[in-house]
Amino acid sequence: MLYVAALTKHLLPVYSSSMKLPEHKLRVRLIALDLDDTTLNSELMITPKTVAALQAAAARGIYVVLCSGRAENAMLKYVRTLDIAGSDQGRYLISMNGASVFDMHKRLIMYSRKVSADVLRLAYREAQSAGLAAEVYSGDTIFAPVQNEWTRRDAELSGLKLQIVDTFAEILKHGFSKMIIPGDPEKLLELQDKLRAELGTSAVIFTSKPYFLEVLPPECGKGEAVLWLAGELGIPREETMAFGDSMNDESMIKSAGYGVAMVNGLDYIKNIADFVTRQDNNHDGIADFITEYVL
């Protein structure tokens, strides 16, 4: 399965002469960056070398936009690490896999999409039938009907509070930016196929990590959010760049002027990307690529 590849981490830098690389410097005015397994190393940190490259890009007037499946609050420690949020080039965040664009200067959600209550309830019923939990997000909190190893894992990865809600089905009436169904990867692949068949175009459904199945609003993704923000900033698609490794990065890898896959990413993502980094996420793949081909 393609998704199994996301579990494999390269222990050494990887380079192949067959890799897709630019032949010249690229004109870029906005860089969108996935976090996990892309900007972050396996210790969930942005290394000093990558920080320096992204700060150099911002200093040259390039917008640097973290673009994650995480909620805004779960991204703030990485914002602090980059230390560019005080500039216009570092003020924007794309969260919830493209369901939200946040302006940190104005503390304002500029763009927001929600999954309807009917879709959320159907997805939750199907998750229950498969013996799985479900989660929705608000601010700094993950709401779930039960606590298990998978919901705890999400809380640990995101740094958000986990709150167990006995009336979980009831709170879904408000609609949320996304739902995550965490669990065993094999069960999730079966459920993914079932939900796609039942919901059709009413939701975007994909596996971000092998153990996270995501339900997003229709026509929603990181790519749509990146292009919306670029439009607001007066930046043409041709001058946008996106880095990613997994299926929740597919839309922005396809949509950006330059889609760049991490060498440690899924084969599918590498195949659809314009370029592939020479180094993996544990060896400053982003810093190497930006320094060589953008700065």
Side-chain angles (χ1 to χ4, degrees):
M1 293 291 182
L2 287 175
Y3 302 103
V4 175
L7 293 173
T8 304
K9 302 289 181 253
H10 293 288
L11 300 180
L12 295 171
V14 176
Y15 176 74
S16 167
S17 60
S18 63
M19 204 162 291
K20 298 183 284 187
L21 293 168
E23 296 178 356
H24 51 75
K25 295 286 186 181
L26 306 173
R27 175 170 170 76
V28 177
R29 294 173 57 196
L30 185 153
I31 299 174
L33 301 138
D34 171 53
L35 282 178
D36 293 289
D37 302 316
T38 300
T39 308
L40 306 185
N41 62 16
S42 58
E43 296 177 354
L44 300 181
M45 296 174 60
I46 309 177
T47 66
K49 186 175 180 180
T50 296
V51 169
L54 294 174
Q55 287 178 342
R60 292 198 184 186
I62 299 171
Y63 287 87
V64 175
V65 183
L66 297 183
C67 193
S68 175
R70 299 167 184 244
E72 288 94 354
N73 281 18
M75 299 170 69
L76 292 181
K77 64 179 178 179
Y78 304 116
V79 171
R80 289 190 286 270
T81 298
L82 288 183
D83 195 24
I84 57 173
S87 69
D88 279 345
Q89 285 67 37
R91 69 190 285 180
Y92 301 107
L93 288 179
I94 294 175
S95 64
M96 299 291 189
N97 278 323
S100 177
V101 180
F102 187 70
D103 181 337
M104 290 182 284
H105 287 193
K106 295 182 178 179
R107 299 188 179 279
L108 174 71
I109 295 176
M110 306 166 61
Y111 167 104
S112 179
R113 300 288 184 271
K114 284 189 175 183
V115 186
S116 72
D118 289 344
V119 168
L120 291 173
R121 285 171 173 162
L122 186 152
Y124 178 45
R125 286 196 301 271
E126 293 294 357
Q128 285 181 301
S129 297
L132 297 164
E135 307 168 347
V136 290
Y137 300 76
S138 178
D140 61 352
T141 304
I142 301 170
F143 299 106
V146 296
Q147 182 174 184
N148 59 30
E149 64 171 303
W150 303 107
T151 56
R152 285 194 299 272
R153 180 178 297 192
D154 190 19
E156 289 166 4
L157 282 173
S158 66
L160 300 179
K161 296 183 295 186
L162 176 61
Q163 182 174 329
I164 305 307
V165 181
D166 293 334
T167 56
F168 185 76
E170 178 65 18
I171 70 169
L172 298 181
K173 69 182 181 182
H174 302 294
F176 287 87
S177 295
K178 72 171 183 175
M179 171 180 279
I180 279 189
I181 301 171
D184 177 79
E186 290 189 8
K187 283 187 176 182
L188 292 185
L189 287 177
E190 293 178 9
L191 181 58
Q192 174 181 267
D193 292 341
K194 187 170 186 179
L195 288 178
R196 283 178 174 173
E198 290 187 28
L199 292 172
T201 59
S202 299
V204 174
I205 299 165
F206 56 78
T207 307
S208 53
K209 289 183 178 292
Y211 43 82
F212 288 157
L213 179 62
E214 306 215 8
V215 181
L216 268 70
E219 299 180 4
C220 179
K222 291 182 179 181
E224 289 83 350
V226 167
L227 293 187
W228 182 88
L229 178 59
E232 290 293 298
L233 297 173
I235 297 173
R237 183 192 71 83
E238 292 76 16
E239 295 180 1
T240 62
M241 175 177 284
F243 288 87
D245 72 290
S246 194
M247 292 307 296
N248 61 330
D249 305 314
E250 178 185 15
S251 65
M252 71 174 181
I253 293 292
K254 285 182 173 180
S255 300
Y258 303 108
V260 187
M262 300 301 294
V263 71
N264 53 283
L266 300 179
D267 286 342
Y268 172 76
I269 297 299
K270 289 186 282 189
N271 287 337
I272 65 170
D274 298 299
F275 306 116
V276 177
T277 62
R278 298 185 295 189
Q279 307 287 346
D280 65 17
N281 66 307
N282 283 322
H283 297 87
D284 297 295
I286 284 174
D288 174 75
F289 191 93
I290 289 175
T291 301
E292 183 73 18
Y293 300 111
V294 178
L295 298 180

